[in-house]
Amino acid sequence: MGLLLFFSSMLFAAFPSASSRNLPVIPFDEGYAPLFGDSNLVIHRDGKSVHLSLDERTGSGFVSHDLYLHGYFSASIKLPSDYTAGVVVAFYMSNGDMFQNNHDEIDFEFLGNIRGKDWRIQTNVYGNGSTNIGREERYGLWFDPADDFHQYTIVWTDSQIIFYVDNVPIREVTRTESMGGDFPFKPMTLYATIWDASDWATNGGKYRVNYKYAPYVAEFSDLVLHGCAVDPIEQHVATCDNAQSFEATIPPFGVTPAQRIKMENFRKKHMTYSYCYDKVRYKVPPSECVINSQEAERLRRFDPVTFGGGRRHHGKRHRRSRGSQTETFASSF
């Protein structure tokens, strides 16, 4: 493991910002394989664009050939339009197939909505099977993600995870000593899927997938896989065989002061949920949470029950369970 950590740390040394500029876009067949869905997965544009569809028969998805320990993982995605309630499109990393009881996961989940309401993004982080502590956040966007392609990026190192939308950082997770194994630390595979999550995705299951609008098609292009590939048998052996060659092609990493301002502005305007401020789930915020008073006040005004301990005068709460994880959704979403 020591050799692997050395190469992955070399990969990200001196990264002050993130951009896919100069990183190679790989053809689908070189980096990925179909996961499920058969004919609902269609490859386009000389193998560099993929359409995933959901219909009454099945959803669909693809998976990377390799496991990775740390890296830069990105795709340009165009989401389905019109009525999309109950539909979830996911772009995420996981090792749940190898570590069923103590898996790691880093998620972008796109939650569909009824006609006239916007898609929402949910991000989440699990480490070592820590599903009893949900670390999800949810946001609106400053654009319609069904109108055009937009870039979504996960950057993962041994000390940080950063989520980007169109090169704007929207969330930064910094590893703390108190998190222990709750910070993802085992090699993971990259996945992309579309599926029916009617039971929870839109207003806690109030609005479900309506298949008269099917097929729902999510388009993926500009696929970037850039990190330390790991042998699935000997997971301590990395294939970053030349750290200097990686340094010549990697973007800078980390959040610059200018990007931090953009991230803070995004979170003030668009964040609708953060586990750190959820007083129903956590009487005391988890130890890694850094409380921002402006975020706290905005969320308290948005939902005084969840984020302020106030009384709800109208509306209804919905809950859904994913394994041992329980999530609470307010009807105002």
Side-chain angles (χ1 to χ4, degrees), residues 65-287:
H65 290 314
D66 293 324
L67 285 161
Y68 294 91
L69 182 68
H70 310 145
Y72 180 104
F73 310 96
S74 183
S76 292
I77 305 172
K78 183 179 179 182
L79 298 175
S81 60
D82 203 3
Y83 182 97
T84 56
V87 177
V88 169
V89 176
F91 180 69
Y92 67 104
M93 304 193 72
S94 177
N95 49 31
D97 58 335
M98 300 180 64
F99 303 97
Q100 295 183 6
N101 297 321
N102 61 337
H103 82 288
D104 303 314
E105 196 168 314
I106 303 172
D107 299 339
F108 264 120
E109 289 181 304
F110 305 90
L111 312 180
N113 219 328
I114 60 175
R115 183 181 287 125
K117 298 289 186 178
D118 296 329
W119 281 86
R120 292 137 309 137
I121 293 183
Q122 177 166 288
T123 62
N124 210 341
V125 173
Y126 301 118
N128 211 30
S130 58
T131 54
N132 61 316
I133 301 178
R135 290 182 167 86
E136 65 269 35
E137 291 189 348
R138 289 189 288 276
Y139 329 87
L141 289 167
W142 64 95
F143 53 82
D144 183 347
D147 278 349
D148 205 348
F149 286 91
H150 293 272
Q151 184 186 28
Y152 304 92
T153 302
I154 295 168
V155 174
W156 172 39
T157 76
D158 63 346
S159 61
Q160 281 187 313
I161 297 165
I162 305 177
F163 297 87
Y164 292 85
V165 177
D166 287 342
N167 293 323
V168 174
I170 65 168
R171 181 180 183 183
E172 178 183 34
V173 180
T174 299
R175 185 177 196 165
T176 64
E177 184 176 353
S178 61
M179 290 180 74
D182 286 1
F183 188 92
F185 67 94
K186 297 186 293 296
M188 291 189 278
T189 307
L190 186 73
Y191 294 85
T193 58
I194 185 171
W195 52 290
D196 184 332
S198 290
D199 289 344
W200 65 269
T202 308
N203 286 72
K206 180 179 180 180
Y207 301 105
R208 305 181 68 82
V209 173
N210 187 334
Y211 284 103
K212 79 176 185 180
Y213 298 103
Y216 298 97
V217 180
E219 304 176 44
F220 290 76
S221 66
D222 300 330
L223 301 170
V224 176
L225 281 173
H226 194 79
C228 281
V230 177
D231 187 302
I233 305 301
E234 300 182 38
Q235 292 186 25
H236 63 286
V237 178
T239 57
C240 302
D241 52 0
N242 188 332
Q244 289 185 344
S245 69
F246 271 93
E247 288 189 49
T249 59
I250 55 177
F253 166 72
V255 178
T256 67
Q259 286 181 320
R260 190 165 298 281
I261 292 172
K262 290 183 178 181
M263 180 169 67
E264 290 173 354
N265 286 338
F266 169 85
R267 294 173 67 83
K268 284 190 292 185
K269 294 178 181 178
H270 300 288
M271 186 166 69
T272 59
Y273 179 87
S274 172
Y275 76 103
C276 285
Y277 303 100
D278 189 333
K279 295 183 180 298
V280 175
R281 293 173 65 188
Y282 304 112
K283 301 304 180 184
V284 176
S287 58

